[in-house]
Amino acid sequence: MRRLTTLFPSEFLEEHAEELGVVERDRKLQIPAFIWAFVFGFAAGESRTLAGFRRSYNSTADESISPGGFYQRLTPTLAEYLRDLVEHGLDEVAVPDAVDADINRFRDVIIADGTVLRLHEFLSEKYEARHEEQAGAKLHLLHNATDQTIERIDVTDEKTHDSTLFKTGSWLENRLVLFDLAYFKYRRFARIDENGGYFVSRLKQNANPVITAELREWRGRAIPLEGKQLREVLDDLSRTYIDVEVEVEFKRGPYNGTRSLDTKRFRVVGVRNEDADDYHLYVTNLSREEFFPADLAQIYRCRWEVELLFRELKTQYDLDEFDTSNEDVVKILLYAALLSLLVSRELLELVTEQAGDEIVFPPERWAATFRSHAQLILHELGEYLGYSPPPLLERLIEDAQKIHQQRPILQETLATATQPRCES
């Protein structure tokens, strides 16, 4: 338990809650119990409802909170507070990886990616989706594969393009960025190069640059490529690798109301996929002297790390199923999911330290194990923090009773409907 309370000390949770105005002066709400109830309540699948979160809190804190008192806490300020906790946790927790490519040459390797979260259709005006009569949010991440942290999180509507959130600048110096096709833009690649950074991206299907030079010599009667457009020669090639320099044309950013045309030379590498009888094509500014085509393909596989993060959030935490029409609750649940993931990773690191060197913990198996023990961990954490919740029987009576006296329960409604009409 000490590991978790070091990650999020109770004093820090309380002080920051007061700074933002999450708690009131009466201090009836016990913030540490409230936060941990969200973290472990979200991890436990059966508690992933607002009523479930309240029950998790009431089973942990010294004093219970009513449904009305709980729901009125679900505000934009609470969403902001949880986001701050996520950013704090990201600075403290390393996300395990499986990178075996040689990336020590760079200051950092950054992976940019995003994933779509499907929301209640009533939120379609705020979270506009690509298709009508739907609502969708998009979670954008900048994942640092070198430090094993997430450097930036953004939440937008589904229509916001991933590339608009990636800003170039001096921060890119000596950093390698791995892009998927959502970020493909020659101007962006040029700006990264001009800021002393590096990039590797898949080449778009409709991209057809002119080959200016071959970077590898081929024996025998190899097809000459210089001066030809890339797509014109692909079908005629059977070599294992393609390694060429290309020239691309793009528009610079607006200046005095106009956008000038410019050209830049990059490197395009192709690695043959025998199963599909075609090439995986990459565009980069990394030199052949340091990175052969097979090296680039291996480095690009680092992107699989962030895909695994998204997969875990969606499969283990059902992050893409938000059954609420409240915008603030969507953000609260999103940040609660990320906090659960961070706490899970922190406990995995602790378990790995305590286990033998020969023991391996597959990520998905660990996630399922963490979820199944979440309520037990929350119970022990509450005891560690010194909380004395009411007796179990009292909690059962409080949680199971009918809340709205004016609202008949189903059995009452059926009994009334089936009474003999002869009495009237």
Side-chain angles (χ1 to χ4, degrees), residues 68 92 126 217 258 263 273 278 407:
E92 302 294 329
K126 177 63 179 180
E217 294 183 1
T258 61
T263 60
N273 179 5
D278 63 3
R407 182 184 300 169

Side-chain angles (χ1 to χ4, degrees), residues 28 30 57-58 61-65 388-390:
K28 182 178 180 180
Q30 295 174 305
Y57 174 82
N58 286 346
D62 292 331
E63 295 186 26
S64 61
I65 187 172
S388 301

